[in-house]
Amino acid sequence: MTTNADNTADPVKPAAAAEPVRIALLGCGTVGAEVVRLLDEQADDLAARIGAPLELAGIAVRRPDRDRGPLPVPRELFTADAAGLIKRDDVDIVVEVVGGLEPARGWLVHALQSGKSVVTANKALLAEDTATLAAAAADGDADLYYEAAVAGAIPLLRPLRESLHGDRITRITGIVNGTTNYILSKMDSTGAGFGEALDEATELGYAEADPTADVEGFDAAAKAAILASLGFHTRVTAADVYRVGITEVTAADVASAQEMGCVVKLLCIAELRRDPDGSESVSARVHPAMIPRSHPLASVGDAYNAVFVEAQAAGRLMFYGAGAGGAPTASAVLGDVVAVARNRRLGRSAVADSAYANLRVRPMGEVATRYHISLDVADRAGVLAQVAALFAEHGVSIQTVRQEGRGTGGEALLVIVTHRAPDAALRSTVDALAELDIVRQVASVMRVEGE
Amino acid sequence: MTTNADNTADPVKPAAAAEPVRIALLGCGTVGAEVVRLLDEQADDLAARIGAPLELAGIAVRRPDRDRGPLPVPRELFTADAAGLIKRDDVDIVVEVVGGLEPARGWLVHALQSGKSVVTANKALLAEDTATLAAAAADGDADLYYEAAVAGAIPLLRPLRESLHGDRITRITGIVNGTTNYILSKMDSTGAGFGEALDEATELGYAEADPTADVEGFDAAAKAAILASLGFHTRVTAADVYRVGITEVTAADVASAQEMGCVVKLLCIAELRRDPDGSESVSARVHPAMIPRSHPLASVGDAYNAVFVEAQAAGRLMFYGAGAGGAPTASAVLGDVVAVARNRRLGRSAVADSAYANLRVRPMGEVATRYHISLDVADRAGVLAQVAALFAEHGVSIQTVRQEGRGTGGEALLVIVTHRAPDAALRSTVDALAELDIVRQVASVMRVEGE
């Protein structure tokens, strides 16, 4: 590749001789090691894009002496003293791929306040406390970038926070956790139960030894908070996100979905609602849901991620790609590193997120959704009438109902799909159904999305 | 919506009282009118995101007195003097939605040189001469943004020029023209021929009265040049792009594709190739191709656009959405307007594109591709051997061959799909086939992509 810049249009000229931009890397696990590898392998291209070479000033890890295989960096770069590394005068950019709330928050706040740009993939911290980080960035006039925190390599946050700034986003629906998508895809294609599919995911490295953060939806909820904040120019934290994981999803649920022409996905959904009085509010939630197979998200299989965005003028958009893994996440981290390094060379920080709208976060009970409900009922006349009356009492309108005799035991299966109604009304309908004499068991309840 | 800024983290505070950022709009057709409408309708949100209100300084059109329906702007804003409007001291941003090379180039060069930021959707001009515009932007220290020029509302250029800057893009494959995608989708679903499908597209407003730019691939070729330039950090112009339109695609081609489990799409393909000696080159092309129905691009129907990006670390990414239309294009224009307005408020211009790599553009003959060839041949022994020998002579390896007797006339149909080979070798193979005595007719030839 020729890198001689005869291109007068480009103010950022490749200059291997220019003062290097120096990086402190915090953490050197799967993603960190890949960042180190790419910094070495793509050094010439990165220097040309920035106008100055990138250099690793140091790598902070818990055990500096551990053998890390053939990483292309000298051993002396490793240190256990992250705080000391951040403070060094020769560090321009801090890249954090450690994760967790503390000590990461303290490190990043300190770095930003002292004018160092930060690139982080720490979704838990961002979902808990972007406000503190953003305030520190403003204090230090420094950049805070975090493309890698949501949906790995998919360029998503920059489009949300920049490209769609002239539009009004109304809804973001995403498959943002690869582990659960792998498990649900397996259950769909093989008929396996949750436990069996989880075991396979663990064996293949798609699930961690402790899969709680993934299967209980904590990971997706953190991402939902970040997406809702960026999409609606407001602050939503993980605590604001309604969350149900996939551990209770059964093979029977998946089969029911198939009968309806649907597939079960763990969705993260962020919505903006404008009430008749003009006031606006947002909601953010993560839960398994049935979506029609014709929906663009339905064909997102295995560990892939995709985010479907609806905006007033732009219409329906979708972003698709690898949501996790060392290389894809490192790609997102390095994209941010190039951006902040270019900003530094030009002596400035980027425009911060706009979070001007302090929107109320609606509790789940107020959110409009639809339910798919399977009931084991007594197989006798008048059952449907009684069930239908109960729905009417709760103000919930039924879209379809299917009744199947189950043969011998005098039982039948009643499968009901509702129209949209507030979640609280739907839940109290289900509670009341369970109390009915004629209902032997509420066999399955799941939300339906993506009309 | 509350817009009081108690958010100390955000340096850009809503301030309806701040000095407005003033826009000169050049052109007021479908897209321009929608820009005017959205500027009015979303005024409060836009002001909050920028920290200052946006204001229209003037609208340059050919016929200022024409009735434009209920546009929310006073008549005095319209003028026929575009050059005069651009020169005015109270204009900060020039938005150009006129299209075409001249006089747009002169206007934009002048605006940029005098320090005014430009937002344009002019793909023809960008594909011809981004270099001149970029040089003018550097001269005037002004912003040049053009998200709306490719794939309408899909946030694509910013991800390519920023998010993936830390990665190496190797291939971009796109469906970037809605008119041709509508026509080919119709041909696929109904079995119609090109003419019939074009008529329907024209009737429904998907094709213009003169559809040449779309159906001959000129529009897609301009976009291919822009995508290749951004993706590979080099300059590729429309003249560098190999181009074949869809006017020769027949119902028989579409049926052949279906038999192979494929669908015919007009693809724009930009590729980076690294030769064994380490030198790199790019290619850019637009032509109809058969792609497997399992490929993510195959399900992009109607007038939708999608761009599939392959990068070394990030893997496979796809961006999907509305590629044209007033509102989606206006959404992309306004996203850029917000970005450049924020830059102006902070007294700076954005980082320019990096085009440091002066890569050689490979001619089509050197590009590796695959062919699907249907031959009407004499139905007698030895035909296949003779055909196969001819492929071997040209160094082209056959992947599959299917022979069908055609009944009465002593003819057979031979359907051949090749392995990858240089396009020149494939073309000369086809020429030589046409000369063979046993070949009555080369019934159809089409490239196959997306393995």
Side-chain angles (χ1 to χ4, degrees), chain A residues 5-78:
Chain A
D6 71 348
N7 196 317
T8 53
D10 191 349
V12 178
K13 285 185 186 153
E19 195 68 20
V21 178
R22 291 170 59 85
I23 297 171
L25 177 63
L26 313 183
C28 198
T30 319
V31 176
E34 194 64 29
V35 167
V36 170
R37 212 182 56 68
L38 288 172
L39 279 174
D40 178 65
E41 187 183 301
Q42 315 231 14
D44 291 349
D45 277 341
L46 294 171
R49 287 169 202 173
I50 294 164
L54 287 172
E55 219 173 84
L56 270 171
I59 305 172
V61 293
R62 226 174 315 173
R63 286 172 296 157
D65 298 325
R66 201 182 128 197
D67 181 21
R68 288 166 201 279
L71 272 188
V73 283
R75 244 196 141 79
E76 312 85 76
L77 282 188
F78 288 92

Coordinates of all heavy atoms in Angstrom, one line a residue, chain A residues 5-78:
Chain A
A5 N 1.3 10.9 0.7 CA 0.1 11.7 0.7 C 0.2 12.8 -0.3 O 0.6 13.9 0.0 CB -0.1 12.3 2.1
D6 N -0.1 12.5 -1.5 CA -0.1 13.6 -2.5 C -1.5 14.2 -2.5 O -1.8 15.0 -3.4 CB 0.2 13.0 -3.9 CG -0.9 12.2 -4.5 OD1 -1.8 11.9 -3.7 OD2 -0.8 11.9 -5.7
N7 N -2.3 13.8 -1.5 CA -3.7 14.2 -1.5 C -3.8 15.5 -0.7 O -4.0 15.5 0.5 CB -4.5 13.1 -0.9 CG -5.9 13.3 -1.2 OD1 -6.4 14.4 -1.2 ND2 -6.6 12.2 -1.6
T8 N -3.9 16.6 -1.4 CA -3.9 17.8 -0.7 C -5.2 18.1 0.0 O -5.3 18.9 0.9 CB -3.7 19.0 -1.7 OG1 -4.7 18.8 -2.7 CG2 -2.3 19.0 -2.3
A9 N -6.2 17.3 -0.3 CA -7.5 17.5 0.3 C -7.5 17.0 1.7 O -8.4 17.3 2.5 CB -8.6 16.8 -0.5
D10 N -6.6 16.2 2.1 CA -6.6 15.5 3.4 C -5.7 16.2 4.4 O -4.5 16.1 4.3 CB -6.3 14.1 3.2 CG -6.6 13.3 4.5 OD1 -6.8 13.9 5.5 OD2 -6.5 12.1 4.4
P11 N -6.3 16.9 5.4 CA -5.4 17.6 6.3 C -4.7 16.6 7.3 O -3.7 17.0 7.9 CB -6.4 18.4 7.1 CG -7.7 17.7 7.0 CD -7.7 17.0 5.7
V12 N -5.1 15.4 7.3 CA -4.5 14.4 8.2 C -3.6 13.6 7.4 O -4.0 12.6 6.7 CB -5.5 13.5 8.9 CG1 -4.9 12.5 9.8 CG2 -6.5 14.4 9.7
K13 N -2.3 13.9 7.4 CA -1.4 13.2 6.5 C -0.6 12.1 7.3 O -0.2 12.3 8.4 CB -0.4 14.2 5.9 CG -1.1 15.0 4.8 CD -0.1 15.9 4.1 CE -0.9 16.8 3.2 NZ -0.2 18.0 2.9
P14 N -0.4 11.0 6.6 CA 0.4 10.0 7.3 C 1.7 10.5 7.6 O 2.4 11.2 6.8 CB 0.4 8.9 6.2 CG 0.0 9.5 4.9 CD -0.8 10.7 5.3
A15 N 2.2 10.2 8.8 CA 3.4 10.8 9.2 C 4.0 9.8 10.3 O 3.7 10.0 11.5 CB 3.3 12.2 9.8
A16 N 4.7 8.8 9.8 CA 5.2 7.9 10.8 C 6.2 8.6 11.7 O 6.5 8.2 12.9 CB 6.0 6.8 10.1
A17 N 6.7 9.8 11.3 CA 7.6 10.5 12.1 C 7.0 11.4 13.1 O 7.6 11.9 14.0 CB 8.5 11.4 11.2
A18 N 5.6 11.6 13.0 CA 5.0 12.5 13.9 C 5.0 11.9 15.3 O 5.3 10.8 15.5 CB 3.5 12.7 13.5
E19 N 4.8 12.8 16.3 CA 4.7 12.4 17.7 C 3.7 11.3 17.9 O 2.6 11.5 17.4 CB 4.3 13.7 18.5 CG 4.5 13.6 20.0 CD 6.0 13.6 20.3 OE1 6.8 14.1 19.5 OE2 6.3 13.2 21.4
P20 N 4.0 10.2 18.4 CA 3.1 9.1 18.5 C 1.9 9.5 19.5 O 2.1 10.3 20.4 CB 3.9 7.9 19.1 CG 5.1 8.5 19.7 CD 5.4 9.8 18.9
V21 N 0.8 8.9 19.3 CA -0.3 8.9 20.2 C -0.3 7.7 21.1 O -0.2 6.6 20.6 CB -1.7 9.0 19.5 CG1 -2.8 9.0 20.5 CG2 -1.7 10.2 18.6
R22 N -0.2 7.9 22.5 CA 0.1 6.8 23.3 C -1.1 6.3 24.1 O -1.9 7.0 24.7 CB 1.3 7.2 24.2 CG 2.6 7.3 23.4 CD 3.7 7.9 24.1 NE 4.1 7.1 25.3 CZ 4.9 6.1 25.3 NH1 5.5 5.7 24.2 NH2 5.2 5.4 26.5
I23 N -1.2 5.0 24.2 CA -2.3 4.3 24.7 C -2.0 3.5 26.0 O -1.0 2.8 26.0 CB -2.9 3.3 23.7 CG1 -3.3 4.0 22.5 CG2 -4.0 2.4 24.3 CD1 -3.7 3.1 21.3
A24 N -2.8 3.7 27.0 CA -2.7 2.8 28.2 C -3.9 1.8 28.1 O -5.0 2.2 27.9 CB -2.9 3.6 29.5
L25 N -3.5 0.5 28.0 CA -4.6 -0.5 27.9 C -4.8 -1.1 29.3 O -3.9 -1.6 29.9 CB -4.1 -1.6 26.9 CG -5.0 -2.8 26.7 CD1 -6.3 -2.4 26.1 CD2 -4.3 -3.8 25.8
L26 N -6.1 -1.0 29.7 CA -6.5 -1.6 31.0 C -7.2 -3.0 30.7 O -8.3 -3.0 30.1 CB -7.4 -0.7 31.8 CG -7.0 0.8 31.9 CD1 -7.9 1.5 32.7 CD2 -5.5 0.9 32.4
G27 N -6.5 -4.1 31.0 CA -7.1 -5.4 30.8 C -6.5 -6.0 29.5 O -6.3 -5.3 28.5
C28 N -6.2 -7.3 29.6 CA -5.6 -8.0 28.5 C -6.2 -9.4 28.4 O -5.4 -10.4 28.3 CB -4.1 -8.0 28.6 SG -3.3 -8.3 27.0
G29 N -7.5 -9.5 28.4 CA -8.2 -10.8 28.2 C -8.4 -11.0 26.7 O -7.6 -10.6 25.9
T30 N -9.5 -11.7 26.3 CA -9.7 -12.0 24.9 C -9.7 -10.7 24.0 O -9.1 -10.7 23.0 CB -11.1 -12.6 24.7 OG1 -11.3 -13.6 25.8 CG2 -11.2 -13.3 23.4
V31 N -10.5 -9.7 24.5 CA -10.5 -8.5 23.7 C -9.2 -7.7 23.7 O -8.7 -7.3 22.7 CB -11.7 -7.6 24.1 CG1 -11.8 -6.3 23.4 CG2 -13.0 -8.3 24.0
G32 N -8.7 -7.6 24.9 CA -7.4 -6.8 25.1 C -6.3 -7.4 24.2 O -5.6 -6.6 23.5
A33 N -6.2 -8.7 24.2 CA -5.1 -9.3 23.5 C -5.3 -9.1 22.0 O -4.3 -8.9 21.2 CB -5.1 -10.8 23.8
E34 N -6.6 -9.1 21.5 CA -6.8 -8.9 20.1 C -6.5 -7.4 19.8 O -6.1 -7.1 18.7 CB -8.3 -9.2 19.8 CG -8.7 -9.3 18.4 CD -7.9 -10.5 17.7 OE1 -7.6 -11.5 18.4 OE2 -7.7 -10.4 16.5
V35 N -6.8 -6.5 20.7 CA -6.4 -5.1 20.5 C -4.9 -4.9 20.3 O -4.5 -4.3 19.3 CB -6.9 -4.2 21.6 CG1 -6.3 -2.8 21.6 CG2 -8.5 -4.1 21.6
V36 N -4.2 -5.6 21.1 CA -2.7 -5.6 21.0 C -2.3 -6.1 19.7 O -1.4 -5.5 19.0 CB -2.1 -6.4 22.2 CG1 -0.6 -6.5 22.0 CG2 -2.4 -5.7 23.5
R37 N -2.9 -7.2 19.3 CA -2.5 -7.9 18.0 C -2.8 -6.9 16.8 O -2.0 -6.8 15.9 CB -3.3 -9.2 17.9 CG -2.5 -10.3 17.1 CD -3.4 -11.5 17.0 NE -4.7 -11.2 16.3 CZ -4.9 -10.9 15.1 NH1 -3.8 -10.8 14.3 NH2 -6.1 -10.7 14.6
L38 N -4.0 -6.3 16.8 CA -4.4 -5.5 15.7 C -3.5 -4.2 15.7 O -3.2 -3.7 14.6 CB -5.9 -5.1 15.8 CG -6.8 -6.3 15.4 CD1 -8.3 -5.9 15.7 CD2 -6.7 -6.7 13.9
L39 N -3.2 -3.6 16.8 CA -2.4 -2.4 16.9 C -1.0 -2.7 16.2 O -0.5 -1.8 15.5 CB -2.1 -2.0 18.3 CG -3.2 -1.2 19.0 CD1 -2.9 -1.0 20.5 CD2 -3.4 0.1 18.3
D40 N -0.5 -3.9 16.4 CA 0.7 -4.3 15.7 C 0.5 -4.6 14.2 O 1.2 -4.0 13.4 CB 1.3 -5.5 16.4 CG 2.6 -6.0 15.8 OD1 3.5 -5.3 15.9 OD2 2.6 -7.1 15.2
E41 N -0.4 -5.4 13.9 CA -0.6 -5.9 12.5 C -1.0 -4.7 11.6 O -0.6 -4.7 10.5 CB -1.7 -6.9 12.6 CG -1.9 -7.6 11.3 CD -3.1 -8.6 11.4 OE1 -3.0 -9.5 12.2 OE2 -4.1 -8.5 10.7
Q42 N -1.8 -3.8 12.1 CA -2.3 -2.7 11.2 C -1.6 -1.4 11.5 O -2.2 -0.3 11.2 CB -3.8 -2.6 11.5 CG -4.6 -3.9 11.5 CD -5.8 -3.8 10.6 OE1 -5.9 -3.0 9.7 NE2 -6.7 -4.8 10.7
A43 N -0.4 -1.5 12.1 CA 0.2 -0.2 12.5 C 0.3 0.8 11.4 O 0.0 2.0 11.6 CB 1.6 -0.6 13.1
D44 N 0.7 0.4 10.2 CA 0.9 1.4 9.1 C -0.4 2.0 8.7 O -0.5 3.2 8.5 CB 1.5 0.7 7.9 CG 3.0 0.2 8.2 OD1 3.5 0.7 9.2 OD2 3.5 -0.5 7.4
D45 N -1.4 1.2 8.5 CA -2.7 1.8 8.2 C -3.3 2.7 9.2 O -3.8 3.8 8.9 CB -3.7 0.7 7.9 CG -3.6 0.1 6.5 OD1 -3.0 0.8 5.7 OD2 -4.1 -1.0 6.3
L46 N -3.1 2.3 10.5 CA -3.7 3.1 11.6 C -2.9 4.5 11.6 O -3.5 5.5 11.7 CB -3.6 2.4 12.9 CG -4.4 1.1 13.0 CD1 -4.1 0.4 14.3 CD2 -5.9 1.5 13.0
A47 N -1.6 4.4 11.4 CA -0.8 5.7 11.4 C -1.2 6.6 10.3 O -1.4 7.8 10.5 CB 0.7 5.3 11.3
A48 N -1.5 6.0 9.1 CA -1.9 6.8 8.0 C -3.3 7.4 8.2 O -3.5 8.6 7.9 CB -1.9 5.9 6.7
R49 N -4.2 6.7 8.9 CA -5.5 7.2 9.1 C -5.5 8.3 10.2 O -6.3 9.2 10.1 CB -6.5 6.1 9.5 CG -6.8 5.2 8.4 CD -7.5 3.9 8.8 NE -7.3 2.9 7.7 CZ -7.7 1.6 7.8 NH1 -8.3 1.2 8.9 NH2 -7.5 0.8 6.8
I50 N -4.6 8.2 11.1 CA -4.6 9.2 12.2 C -3.6 10.3 11.9 O -3.8 11.5 12.3 CB -4.1 8.5 13.5 CG1 -5.1 7.5 13.9 CG2 -3.8 9.5 14.6 CD1 -4.6 6.5 14.9
G51 N -2.6 10.0 11.1 CA -1.5 11.0 10.9 C -0.4 11.0 11.9 O 0.5 11.8 11.9
A52 N -0.4 9.9 12.7 CA 0.6 9.7 13.7 C 0.6 8.3 14.1 O -0.5 7.7 14.1 CB 0.5 10.6 14.9
P53 N 1.7 7.7 14.5 CA 1.6 6.3 14.9 C 1.0 6.1 16.3 O 1.0 7.0 17.1 CB 3.1 5.9 15.0 CG 3.9 7.1 15.1 CD 3.1 8.2 14.5
L54 N 0.3 5.0 16.5 CA -0.2 4.6 17.8 C 0.9 3.8 18.6 O 1.5 3.0 18.0 CB -1.5 3.8 17.7 CG -2.7 4.5 17.2 CD1 -3.8 3.5 17.0 CD2 -3.2 5.5 18.2
E55 N 1.0 4.1 19.9 CA 2.0 3.3 20.6 C 1.4 2.9 21.9 O 0.6 3.7 22.6 CB 3.2 4.3 20.9 CG 4.5 3.6 20.8 CD 5.6 4.6 20.9 OE1 6.0 5.0 22.1 OE2 6.1 5.1 19.9
L56 N 1.7 1.7 22.4 CA 1.2 1.2 23.7 C 2.2 1.7 24.8 O 3.4 1.4 24.7 CB 1.2 -0.3 23.7 CG -0.1 -1.0 23.3 CD1 0.1 -2.5 23.1 CD2 -1.2 -0.6 24.3
A57 N 1.7 2.5 25.7 CA 2.5 3.0 26.8 C 2.6 2.0 27.9 O 3.6 1.9 28.6 CB 1.9 4.3 27.3
G58 N 1.5 1.2 28.1 CA 1.6 0.2 29.1 C 0.3 -0.6 29.1 O -0.7 -0.2 28.5
I59 N 0.3 -1.8 29.7 CA -0.9 -2.6 29.8 C -1.1 -3.0 31.2 O -0.2 -3.7 31.8 CB -0.7 -3.9 28.9 CG1 -0.3 -3.5 27.5 CG2 -1.9 -4.8 29.0 CD1 0.1 -4.7 26.6
A60 N -2.2 -2.6 31.8 CA -2.4 -2.9 33.2 C -3.2 -4.2 33.3 O -4.3 -4.3 32.7 CB -3.1 -1.8 33.9
V61 N -2.7 -5.2 34.1 CA -3.4 -6.5 34.3 C -3.2 -6.9 35.7 O -2.4 -6.4 36.4 CB -2.8 -7.6 33.4 CG1 -3.1 -7.3 31.9 CG2 -1.3 -7.7 33.5
R62 N -4.0 -7.8 36.2 CA -3.9 -8.3 37.6 C -2.6 -9.0 37.8 O -2.0 -8.8 38.8 CB -5.1 -9.1 38.0 CG -5.7 -8.7 39.3 CD -6.9 -9.4 39.7 NE -7.9 -9.5 38.6 CZ -9.0 -10.2 38.6 NH1 -9.3 -10.8 39.7 NH2 -9.8 -10.2 37.6
R63 N -2.2 -9.9 36.9 CA -1.0 -10.6 37.1 C 0.0 -10.4 35.9 O -0.1 -11.1 34.9 CB -1.4 -12.1 37.1 CG -2.0 -12.5 38.5 CD -2.5 -13.9 38.5 NE -3.6 -14.1 37.5 CZ -3.9 -15.2 36.9 NH1 -3.3 -16.3 37.2 NH2 -4.9 -15.3 36.1
P64 N 0.8 -9.4 36.0 CA 1.7 -9.0 35.0 C 2.7 -10.1 34.5 O 3.2 -10.1 33.4 CB 2.5 -7.8 35.5 CG 1.8 -7.4 36.8 CD 1.0 -8.6 37.2
D65 N 2.9 -11.1 35.4 CA 3.9 -12.1 35.1 C 3.3 -13.3 34.4 O 4.1 -14.2 34.0 CB 4.6 -12.6 36.4 CG 5.3 -11.4 37.1 OD1 5.9 -10.6 36.3 OD2 5.3 -11.4 38.3
R66 N 2.0 -13.3 34.3 CA 1.4 -14.5 33.6 C 1.9 -14.6 32.2 O 2.1 -13.7 31.5 CB -0.1 -14.3 33.6 CG -0.9 -15.5 33.5 CD -2.4 -15.2 33.4 NE -3.0 -15.8 32.3 CZ -4.2 -15.4 31.8 NH1 -4.9 -14.4 32.3 NH2 -4.7 -16.0 30.7
D67 N 2.0 -15.9 31.7 CA 2.4 -16.1 30.3 C 1.2 -15.9 29.4 O 0.1 -16.4 29.6 CB 2.8 -17.6 30.2 CG 3.3 -17.9 28.7 OD1 3.6 -16.9 28.0 OD2 3.2 -19.1 28.3
R68 N 1.4 -15.0 28.5 CA 0.3 -14.6 27.6 C 0.5 -15.0 26.1 O -0.1 -14.5 25.2 CB 0.0 -13.1 27.7 CG -0.6 -12.7 29.0 CD -0.5 -11.2 29.3 NE -0.6 -11.0 30.7 CZ -1.8 -11.0 31.4 NH1 -2.9 -11.2 30.7 NH2 -1.8 -10.9 32.7
G69 N 1.3 -16.0 26.0 CA 1.5 -16.5 24.6 C 2.3 -15.5 23.8 O 2.9 -14.6 24.3
P70 N 2.2 -15.6 22.5 CA 3.0 -14.8 21.6 C 2.4 -13.4 21.3 O 2.1 -13.1 20.1 CB 3.1 -15.7 20.3 CG 1.8 -16.4 20.3 CD 1.3 -16.5 21.7
L71 N 2.3 -12.6 22.3 CA 1.8 -11.2 22.1 C 2.9 -10.4 21.6 O 4.0 -10.4 22.1 CB 1.2 -10.6 23.3 CG -0.3 -10.9 23.6 CD1 -0.7 -10.1 24.8 CD2 -1.1 -10.6 22.4
P72 N 2.7 -9.5 20.5 CA 3.8 -8.8 19.9 C 4.2 -7.5 20.7 O 4.2 -6.4 20.2 CB 3.2 -8.4 18.6 CG 1.8 -8.3 18.8 CD 1.4 -9.3 19.9
V73 N 4.4 -7.7 22.1 CA 4.8 -6.5 22.9 C 5.8 -7.0 23.9 O 5.8 -8.2 24.4 CB 3.6 -5.9 23.6 CG1 2.8 -5.1 22.7 CG2 2.8 -7.0 24.3
P74 N 6.7 -6.1 24.3 CA 7.7 -6.5 25.3 C 7.1 -6.7 26.7 O 6.1 -6.0 27.0 CB 8.7 -5.3 25.3 CG 8.0 -4.2 24.7 CD 6.9 -4.8 23.8
R75 N 7.6 -7.6 27.4 CA 7.1 -7.9 28.8 C 7.1 -6.7 29.7 O 6.2 -6.6 30.6 CB 8.0 -9.0 29.4 CG 7.3 -10.3 29.6 CD 8.0 -11.2 30.5 NE 7.0 -11.9 31.4 CZ 6.3 -12.9 31.0 NH1 6.4 -13.4 29.7 NH2 5.4 -13.5 31.8
E76 N 8.0 -5.8 29.5 CA 8.1 -4.6 30.4 C 6.8 -3.7 30.4 O 6.6 -2.9 31.3 CB 9.3 -3.7 30.1 CG 10.6 -4.4 29.9 CD 10.8 -4.9 28.5 OE1 11.0 -4.1 27.6 OE2 10.6 -6.1 28.3
L77 N 6.1 -3.9 29.3 CA 4.9 -3.0 29.2 C 3.8 -3.4 30.3 O 3.0 -2.6 30.6 CB 4.3 -3.1 27.8 CG 4.9 -2.3 26.7 CD1 4.1 -2.4 25.4 CD2 5.1 -0.9 27.1
F78 N 3.8 -4.6 30.7 CA 2.8 -5.1 31.7 C 3.1 -4.5 33.1 O 4.2 -4.5 33.5 CB 2.7 -6.6 31.7 CG 2.1 -7.2 30.4 CD1 2.9 -7.5 29.4 CD2 0.7 -7.3 30.3 CE1 2.4 -8.0 28.2 CE2 0.2 -7.8 29.1 CZ 1.0 -8.2 28.1

